[in-house]
Amino acid sequence: MLILKRMFSITSRKTASKKPQLDQVSDIMIPGQYLRYFKPKKTKSLQQQQQQQLNQSRHLDLYTETARPLHGHEWDATPTITQERMAQRIQRALSTVYSMEVLPTPLITQEHLTLRGIKVSRNLKKCFIFYEPTSTIKKQRGQVHRALINYSPILNTLIKNHAQLRKPLSIKFVSDTQSKELEAIYDKLEQETGQQ
């Protein structure tokens, strides 16, 4: 027991000697080469703190948007060559899926829907396939939409297999409403120019 007490007292002295206290050594002269161990901590003034906060806020406000943002306006921009090539590749894969594969329901075949277009994002990670049901009856259109939602994972795997994509790509089937409106506008314009 005595041996343990002596050992603890020796170790406590060693640790105390390693961490010198400034208030204990204020009246002792310290050699110049050891003064760096006894420097007091610098306190920042209010002006320095405010200036540092200002600089940090400036840096935070500079770059708020990524180099290639993936927002809605990206789809409006003209596609690059790689985007067009990827869209063509997916178009070919879709045509081979429709010609070769046996699909689980006829509602997702080209008899019941027309493909309007394919758009690929700039980073080539997202793909939107725009479609429109061929029938004008609301009930049948709803059935086509539901069938595409239910069987989109199967279609995605078939498209990826036939396109032989190296990198993963998320494919979404999006119902197209804008192209129909545009076609109606073009038809009206043609009629007006034909009458004049």
Side-chain angles (χ1 to χ4, degrees), residues 148-159:
L148 267 174
I149 289 167
N150 292 336
Y151 296 109
S152 62
I154 296 167
L155 277 171
N156 286 350
T157 53
L158 289 172
I159 291 166

Side-chain angles (χ1 to χ4, degrees), residues 3 8-9 21 47 61 89 119 153 176 181 190:
I3 298 167
F8 282 126
S9 64
Q21 306 294 326
Q47 288 179 347
D61 293 340
R89 197 172 183 180
K119 287 190 177 181
D176 189 20
E181 293 170 5
E190 281 179 14

Side-chain angles (χ1 to χ4, degrees), residues 4-20:
L4 284 173
K5 284 182 183 177
R6 284 180 189 165
M7 284 177 62
F8 282 126
S9 64
I10 291 168
T11 53
S12 63
R13 282 184 211 152
K14 284 182 182 177
T15 53
S17 65
K18 285 181 184 175
K19 296 179 182 177

